[in-house]
Amino acid sequence: MDKAEELTGQNYNILEELLLGDALYHYEFDVTTGIIEHDIISRDGTNYMELLGLPSPCRFNELIEHSFNGRYIHVEYTLDSSVYILSCEELLRAYQEGRKRIEVKLYLADKHQYNRLTYLLMKAEETGHIMAFVMCQDITEIEQQWIRENASARKELEETNHIISDAGIGTWKICLFDNEKPRMKGNAKMYELLGISPTELTEEEVYDFWYAGIRKSSLPTVEASVAEMMEKGKSENTYVWAHPKWGEIYVRCGGTSQYIEGKGYVLCGYHSDVTEIINSDMKQRQLLADALEDTKKQKKLLQEALDNYKQADYDRRTDFLTGLRNRQDMFELLQDTLSGRRDSIKAMFMMDIDNFKMLNDHYGHVAGDRCLQKIGAALTQYGKEHNMYFYRYGGEEMLGISFGSDKPDSETAQELVQLIYDLQLKRDDLERGVVTISLGYTSDNSEYEKMIDKADAAMYKAKANGKNQAVCYEQGGQ
């Protein structure tokens, strides 16, 4: 259970210590009655009640109305916030649904500053009322880094879209989710090729419009191509489609698929009018071959741009190759003073695959990636069973964080070394014959910021001692 969720009425001092860390301001109020009893004072001494012209005590809903109605503040309700507007009514509903932590992001345009509001909800034992403890943190540095990463991906995607559009190719995305109507959207060139305006139709109507235009005799090949795309991950097909202005045209279509657990499939691809090429002589057919080759190259550029964007936009906490958590997620954990998760860190383990460069050079990077994927899957499963998080720290380095178990850290370290050895990932470029790791660890959790450096130093000691072993920093691993 989250440490913050264990706090009850008699633990207010502990909660206050957690909230004070790096908060710009914090306060508490009675959600059931909607009353804020005391002034809200910021870290620099500003009285927000006076600043907003509100009396003390005042109503929470009135505070929100005064705070968020300014043209200099943008409020974003995150997907996991479980509320769509901040009010006592919404907070009570969220609590009844089992949500006890609500987060909202604010952008203060006049200060170019991002803040995060966190609401912790709990029931007071004395009155039975739902109480809210509120903290505001400055997350400007985190958000600006996130914006910089996405700007690069968006620029690459825009450049690719210009290339593809100039080539007369439209790109599309279809969502085939369980128990939902199919949805389709595309870039400007795609809507032009379909002969429709994107503002006139919903995504569901765009899909229906495209599907209805497929010639009946072409439908089996289109459905077979979609089935192949979902089964094998990619497919290409040429079919006849009824354009609202041009009549029946030949369309060359290809794409890739991604399965989303618990949802269904997302298909992405390209759409090109090849009528003139199909109906031409040998010279035109040669042009078709050239155009298809160019299309494949453009598709590759598009896929790379989409992968980069998808990774930056949707997978910022997970390393896409290994399935492990990434460094950003690790740093957020180490900076989190609210949830209490950081305070329960028991030990850190730094691992490095032995002679990984030699493995890549000998077998190629595809084999190296498969090795990382199998190790990542094994570490993920081990973490689930032993209350640990594992992160891809960089290249072939992985970091494990233990949150406590009955076994000694030395035993955990040896188990991790043996776990990778027992995978029996064969390699004939070394006498040992299988992939191994060198591991360094530290159990000194007095300073979280130094634990990674200590584990890293011990890991290099393990390599110097002959590899395929674990070394403790506190026992000679300096």
Side-chain angles (χ1 to χ4, degrees), residues 324-461:
L324 300 174
R325 297 165 182 260
N326 61 20
R327 291 183 65 162
Q328 179 174 339
D329 188 71
M330 178 196 70
F331 288 131
E332 288 187 8
L333 169 68
L334 296 180
Q335 294 168 3
D336 182 6
T337 60
L338 177 64
S339 69
R341 193 60 169 159
R342 186 187 74 169
D343 296 336
S344 61
I345 292 176
K346 179 185 177 185
M348 288 191 186
F349 305 79
M350 183 67 77
M351 295 157 278
D352 185 85
I353 301 175
D354 295 328
N355 302 298
F356 187 71
K357 184 178 185 302
M358 292 176 60
L359 185 148
N360 265 340
D361 293 343
H362 186 76
Y363 292 100
H365 289 283
V366 172
D369 287 349
R370 289 174 180 166
C371 171
L372 288 169
Q373 288 172 337
K374 291 180 180 179
I375 291 177
L379 291 176
T380 298
Q381 184 60 36
Y382 186 91
K384 292 178 181 178
E385 297 171 357
H386 297 85
N387 194 20
M388 293 183 68
Y389 286 169
F390 286 94
Y391 303 83
R392 187 178 183 190
Y393 191 74
E396 65 272 20
E397 286 187 326
M398 286 148 284
L399 177 71
I401 297 181
S402 171
F403 297 95
S405 65
D406 296 334
K407 67 179 66 177
D409 296 330
S410 58
E411 184 176 338
T412 298
Q414 294 299 331
E415 284 186 359
L416 290 171
V417 172
Q418 191 65 37
L419 173 68
I420 305 308
Y421 185 90
D422 289 344
L423 291 177
Q424 290 292 295
L425 302 176
K426 302 296 183 183
R427 58 185 300 179
D428 56 15
D429 59 325
L430 293 175
E431 291 183 3
R432 190 168 282 121
V434 295
V435 172
T436 61
I437 62 170
S438 295
L439 183 147
Y441 68 98
T442 177
S443 301
D444 181 6
N445 59 1
S446 58
E447 295 183 77
Y448 303 115
E449 295 78 6
K450 295 183 179 180
M451 292 184 76
I452 296 177
D453 292 337
K454 291 180 179 180
D456 194 53
M459 181 268 290
Y460 279 103
K461 188 71 173 180

Side-chain angles (χ1 to χ4, degrees), residues 246-308:
W246 307 335
E248 288 191 344
I249 60 173
Y250 286 94
V251 172
R252 184 64 179 173
C253 182
T256 60
S257 70
Q258 178 189 11
Y259 179 69
I260 301 176
E261 189 70 32
K263 291 286 289 183
Y265 286 90
V266 175
L267 313 181
C268 297
Y270 71 92
H271 174 111
S272 179
D273 179 3
V274 294
T275 304
E276 184 177 349
I277 300 173
I278 292 293
N279 293 331
S280 66
D281 56 15
M282 289 297 295
K283 179 179 179 180
Q284 294 298 324
R285 287 196 290 272
Q286 182 59 48
L287 291 176
L288 169 62
D290 294 341
L292 291 177
E293 183 62 29
D294 289 341
T295 299
K296 291 177 181 178
K297 294 178 181 178
Q298 301 305 330
K299 174 189 168 185
K300 181 180 179 181
L301 290 174
L302 172 65
Q303 191 61 50
E304 290 175 354
L306 289 174
D307 287 345
N308 290 336

Side-chain angles (χ1 to χ4, degrees), residues 16-35:
E16 185 176 16
E17 182 179 343
L18 288 172
L19 290 173
L20 280 175
D22 58 351
L24 297 176
Y25 62 84
H26 66 94
Y27 64 96
E28 63 181 88
F29 72 96
D30 188 326
V31 183
T32 303
T33 64
I35 299 298

Side-chain angles (χ1 to χ4, degrees), residues 2 31 47 54 117 133 165 224 229 248 303 322 345 440 460:
D2 208 316
V31 183
N47 187 323
L54 293 174
L117 281 176
F133 295 84
S165 180
M229 197 179 301
E248 288 191 344
Q303 191 61 50
T322 63
I345 292 176
Y460 279 103

